Amino acid sequence: MTETEQFLATIGPRITEAETALHNGDSAPRSAMWSRAEPLTLFGAAISGRGWGEIGPIFDTLGQQFSGCLSYQNQIVAAEASGDLAYTVALEHTTASVNGAEPRPYVLRVTTIFRREDGEWKVVHRHANAAADPGEVVGRLAPRAVI
């Protein structure tokens, strides 16, 4: 198994667990995936922040806004792990309620950078934005794997 395959086997289930929990109102698993060591950056689809003092409360706010997750799928488009750094480029397919509205599907384009700290992969950067035309985006990209 390559270094990248080992990384994906480790991080894939954690991402799915954390994002499903977040979209059901529990931000703790996502927060647990993040480093507390600088530099930390979040360019979120809705809210951005820098440093854990800003990012942690953003995740708490998101957890309060989301509920009723009906589905979550992380479609990896590209990934690499080398030494203590790794990244994923993915399409996140989610169906959930935002602020109590009816659950609706949406797709985010997400780039995540990880740093290995004390043997564990931790997120140090996330950049997400909504796919303008989810069908077109998925059709043009050959996915690497779905985790």
Side-chain angles (χ1 to χ4, degrees), residues 81-114:
S82 180
D84 289 334
L85 289 175
Y87 73 90
T88 60
V89 175
L91 297 170
E92 290 185 348
H93 304 266
T94 307
T95 300
S97 173
V98 179
N99 294 320
E102 283 294 315
R104 66 174 184 82
Y106 63 93
V107 177
L108 295 180
R109 297 180 291 198
V110 180
T111 301
T112 308
I113 300 173
F114 299 82

Side-chain angles (χ1 to χ4, degrees), residues 34-47:
W34 276 71
S35 174
R36 301 304 190 266
E38 295 292 338
L40 300 175
T41 49
L42 171 67
F43 295 155
I47 309 170

Side-chain angles (χ1 to χ4, degrees), residues 25-98:
D26 179 6
S27 63
R30 182 191 265 195
S31 293
M33 288 189 64
W34 276 71
S35 174
R36 301 304 190 266
E38 295 292 338
L40 300 175
T41 49
L42 171 67
F43 295 155
I47 309 170
S48 297
R50 185 178 199 169
W52 187 249
E54 292 179 12
I55 294 170
I58 288 170
F59 294 160
D60 293 340
T61 297
L62 290 174
Q64 294 167 8
Q65 293 175 349
F66 289 119
S67 63
C69 183
L70 300 178
S71 65
Y72 173 82
Q73 181 183 51
N74 191 31
Q75 180 184 6
I76 298 293
V77 176
E80 178 102 30
S82 180
D84 289 334
L85 289 175
Y87 73 90
T88 60
V89 175
L91 297 170
E92 290 185 348
H93 304 266
T94 307
T95 300
S97 173
V98 179

